[in-house]
Amino acid sequence: MALPERFSNLPEYAFPRLRKLLDAHAPGGEPIAMTIGEPRHAMPDFVGPILAANLSGFAVYPPNDGTPELLSAISAWIARRYAVALPEDRLMVLNGTREGLFNAAIALCPEAKSGQRPVILMPNPFYQVYAVAALTVGAEPVYVPATAATGHLPDYGSLPKDILDRVALAYICSPANPQGAVASADYLSDLLALSEKHDFKVLADECYSESWRNAPPPGLLQVAAAQGADPERAVVFHSLSKRSNLPGLRSGFVAAGPESMLRLRQLRAFAGAPLPLPLQKVAQACWQDEAHVTSSRALYQAKFMQADRIFESLQGFQAPQGGFFLWLPVDDGEAATLKLWHETGVRVLPGAYLSRDAGGQNPGKGYIRVALVAPAEETQRGLTQLRDCLYG
Ligand SMILES: Cc1ncc(COP(=O)(O)O)c(C=O)c1O
């Protein structure tokens, strides 16, 4: 039977690919997992009681866009975090940002742009859902290098005009997975100006916004409000997965301009899987509480300092400004990952599993990604073994 051609160029997903690379080889020591971006700090202690008190909510279909109380808690969080007043009808609840980032392309990407096939821009390396979203809607994904030379963020403004005129959507991730770079307010402001000039929307994946090193990263909503940008230019995604250590809750939100929001809500009404009501209650409490976020952030900040100490003699090493990954240069990411596993049992991800060949270059090939999610003692052991094995 025929299968869709549109995904024929899609590589195998990063984690099955990693299992194929490593699982035929015995670990060289006690395994330490530093692969997946799954937070392992404690979830807030109110999760269980709130869930238990709201079990009857499983008996009803939940509201698609979010309960009024949850949307109001999110709106209040945005006001505290970004000093932006955003009414509830500019917000919609998501089952985590991954589905939102995917479905936004379906809801918002036109069939044609300037009479031609639309382009969706994304950084390279990147969170992989951006590419499959582009392929799904028949847009051309354009992978824009986000390397040391560009401050680990894509320089969309440097693209040729004929490409920029075809851009319908541009994904941006700040703090960036995998590099940990943070887009400055100036960077975001320039990007909004570019989107206005070439008539596209910016899809800002800000799911690591609360894990930062020195200062809270600026958000696109804040920058758009400050410069009086057209609200339709900015579509912004946040998640409780990283902020509240609840990747299994599957809860986030999208904020957008009124027209975009109508499209997003319409698609969700037809095809979305709304978040169960008891989970919306938990999410509401999470957005209302900052104490658990502050203590989790302090643990990440301690790990950034740990990484600084362990890698101080590694030339050019920089612990990230945000997020919770190290993006470490090596000769060849796959070879380094295999050697590290084989000799120590430390498990990391080859950078090329998060990037694409573009223009004859693969910007992830000479890197490994290391997740700082384990407790401090395990992180210390993992990073020390990694340093001694790969840079000793
Ligand atoms: C950059 C980035 N965006 C989005 C997600 C999806 O997160 P969730 O769907 O759990 O909100 C992740 C998860 O690892 C991520 O790293």
Side-chain angles (χ1 to χ4, degrees):
M1 208 199 301
L3 288 170
E5 277 291 311
R6 70 183 81 97
F7 299 128
S8 55
N9 284 333
L10 210 58
E12 190 168 21
Y13 200 62
F15 296 107
R17 209 167 154 192
L18 181 68
R19 287 194 285 275
K20 274 192 192 152
L21 177 72
L22 297 186
D23 285 359
H25 304 267
E30 189 191 333
I32 300 182
M34 307 186 96
T35 49
I36 190 167
E38 181 180 67
R40 284 165 60 193
H41 301 157
M43 66 173 91
D45 53 12
F46 51 74
V47 171
I50 292 180
L51 201 53
N54 288 282
L55 285 182
S56 62
F58 283 121
V60 294
Y61 279 117
N64 279 319
D65 306 330
T67 62
E69 297 78 17
L70 172 51
L71 295 176
S72 144
I74 292 170
S75 174
W77 178 78
I78 291 172
R80 286 197 305 279
R81 174 66 169 82
Y82 297 119
V84 171
L86 211 65
E88 285 77 357
D89 59 7
R90 298 267 309 272
L91 298 167
M92 185 177 82
V93 168
L94 302 171
N95 307 60
T97 41
R98 186 171 62 181
E99 67 89 357
L101 291 159
F102 178 75
N103 285 311
I106 301 178
L108 302 177
C109 187
E111 279 71 25
K113 175 79 191 299
S114 309
Q116 299 176 73
R117 185 180 179 203
V119 160
I120 298 187
L121 300 179
M122 61 202 73
N124 192 19
F126 59 101
Y127 185 59
Q128 296 292 294
V129 77
Y130 313 153
V132 79
L135 297 176
T136 299
V137 297
E140 180 188 343
V142 171
Y143 307 107
V144 182
T147 60
T150 63
H152 291 294
L153 294 167
D155 183 3
Y156 292 147
S158 69
L159 292 169
K161 182 177 177 308
D162 60 319
I163 293 197
L164 285 170
D165 285 340
R166 281 200 293 133
V167 174
L169 306 174
Y171 286 101
I172 178 80
C173 184
S174 172
N177 172 9
Q179 311 95 320
V182 167
S184 66
D186 284 347
Y187 177 97
L188 296 173
S189 171
D190 290 349
L191 183 55
L192 283 170
L194 193 72
S195 76
E196 188 62 46
K197 183 166 173 209
H198 296 277
D199 188 22
F200 62 84
K201 292 182 195 294
V202 180
L203 270 49
D205 180 353
E206 298 184 354
C207 71
Y208 292 96
S209 66
E210 304 317 287
S211 169
W212 42 260
R213 190 175 174 117
N214 300 318
L220 192 67
L221 288 173
Q222 181 183 19
V223 172
Q227 77 189 57
D230 176 349
E232 298 302 336
R233 297 286 162 220
V235 185
V236 180
F237 299 82
H238 281 267
S239 174
L240 292 175
S241 298
K242 324 290 178 184
R243 174 184 180 274
S244 298
N245 302 316
L246 283 168
L249 185 70
R250 309 309 306 132
S251 186
F253 71 83
V254 56
E259 261 181 55
S260 304
M261 188 47 68
L262 281 180
R263 299 293 184 93
L264 291 164
R265 287 184 171 208
Q266 185 188 32
L267 179 67
R268 195 170 182 85
F270 277 94
L275 191 67
L277 208 45
L279 305 191
Q280 296 204 35
K281 294 281 185 195
V282 172
Q284 179 188 333
C286 289
W287 291 113
Q288 285 166 334
D289 183 66
E290 279 306 317
H292 72 282
V293 184
T294 308
S295 49
S296 184
R297 180 184 308 122
L299 296 176
Y300 286 124
Q301 289 172 337
K303 287 187 230 185
F304 294 158
M305 276 148 64
Q306 214 175 5
D308 282 349
R309 283 192 297 274
I310 292 171
F311 292 105
E312 66 186 350
S313 57
L314 179 62
Q315 178 128 40
F317 174 79
Q318 243 182 345
Q321 290 304 303
F324 49 59
F325 299 107
L326 302 183
W327 184 240
L328 296 176
V330 290
D331 284 340
D332 176 277
E334 267 195 337
T337 298
L338 187 55
K339 174 177 159 73
L340 186 62
W341 173 248
H342 195 52
E343 293 183 10
T344 70
V346 175
R347 205 170 167 100
V348 298
L349 195 68
Y353 292 11
L354 302 168
S355 57
R356 291 284 196 282
D357 293 328
Q361 301 277 341
N362 187 327
K365 207 168 173 349
Y367 285 88
I368 52 172
R369 191 191 76 172
V370 185
L372 302 181
V373 289
E377 184 278 328
E378 196 179 326
T379 301
Q380 176 78 23
R381 263 188 303 127
L383 293 184
T384 308
Q385 290 183 34
L386 187 156
R387 179 199 58 198
D388 295 348
C389 176
L390 298 182
Y391 304 106

